[in-house]
Amino acid sequence: GRDLLGIADLSSEEIKNLLELAQQLKSGKLAPKCQKILGLLFYKASTRTRVSFTVAMYQLGGQVIDLNPSVTQVGRGEPIEDTARVLDRYLDILAIRTFAQKDLEIFAQYAQIPIINALSDLEHPCQILADLLTIKECFGSVEGITLSYVGDGNNVAHSLLIGGALMGMNVHIATPANHQPDSQILQQAQELAQNSSKIVVTQDPIAAVTEAQVIYTDVWASMGQENLADQRIPLFQPYQVNQELLSHADSEAIVLHCLPAHRGEEITEEVIEGKQSKVWDQAENRMHAQKALLVSLLGLS
Ligand code: CP
C-alpha cells in the first residue's frame, strides 16, 4: 500500500493536489463518502491529530478504532511484526504516533494497508500538510514564500524543511548550536531545494526572520523531554517568538505554531493572541488536510 512515513513520500505534484483537494473538501465543493475503517495507534498523547483524524473519518462516513497501547497487546510487548500483520486484516488504514520512526517502517513492511506517520521522533508530515494549506490560504500559493522556523530543530522542523523544499519555499531555521536539525534531513532538504528555493540554517533568530512571510515555532521540551525543561528553557530563551522578534520581519508576516503552545516560553501571549497569529486556522486545517490525505490514500477521489 501507499504510506506516508515522511513528507518526502509525496511528490510536490501530489502535495499540490492534496492542498487543492483539501480546499475543495473544506469549502464543501466535494463531499466523498466511504465505509472504511481507520485505526489510531498512538503511543503518545494527542489532541489535534487524534481528534482531527477522527472527525475527518466520521465526516467521510467511515469509522475509527482507538488502539491505545494501554488496552492492546502492543503495550504488553507483542512484536510490531505480528501486530502489523493482524491489523492489516481488520483495518483499511492505520495512523501511528510513536517515539521511533523505525516502528513505522516495520509497520509499513508488514502491513499492506496505508500507514500514516501521526508524529514520530523524525517527522510530523500530517502537521506540515496543514501548515502548507494555511500558508496557501493566506498568500494564494506556497511557492516562493519564506518560512522562518525559530526554536528547536525537531521533528516538525524536519518536515517543514523537506516539505518546504519540495514546494519551492525558502526555509530559514534558527536554533541553538546543539539543537540544529538532523544533518541527513538537512542534506535531503538542500538536495530537494536545488535551484528553486533556499535552505538557511543559522543560530541568529533575527537574521532568520528578516525576510520571513511566515514565522513558525514549536515547543522547546517535547513529549519525553519534560525532565529536561529546566535546562532547555534558558538555552532557548533567545529564540522566543515575541513582539521584538516580529518587529524584524514583514508587518504582514503570519505566525504559526503547531500547538500545544507554552505561553511565556517559545511564544508570548501577546503574539499568539495577536493579529498576525493564524494558529487556530492552522489547527482547523489539520482536519481538512488529513481528510484529503485519507481520500487520496483510500482511493476515494
Ligand atoms: N500539533 C499536534 O500534533 O498536536 P497534538 O499533539 O495535540 O496531536
Side-chain angles (χ1 to χ4, degrees), residues 39-57:
L40 296 179
L41 178 52
F42 280 32
Y43 293 82
K44 303 165 80 174
S46 165
T47 296
R48 280 143 290 271
T49 312
R50 176 189 295 281
V51 179
S52 59
F53 261 123
T54 303
V55 174
M57 200 59 182

Side-chain angles (χ1 to χ4, degrees), residues 74-91:
V74 292
R76 300 179 65 237
E78 183 169 8
I80 292 176
E81 291 84 346
D82 295 359
T83 306
R85 279 177 285 186
V86 172
L87 294 180
D88 181 60
R89 307 284 178 113
Y90 301 149
L91 302 170

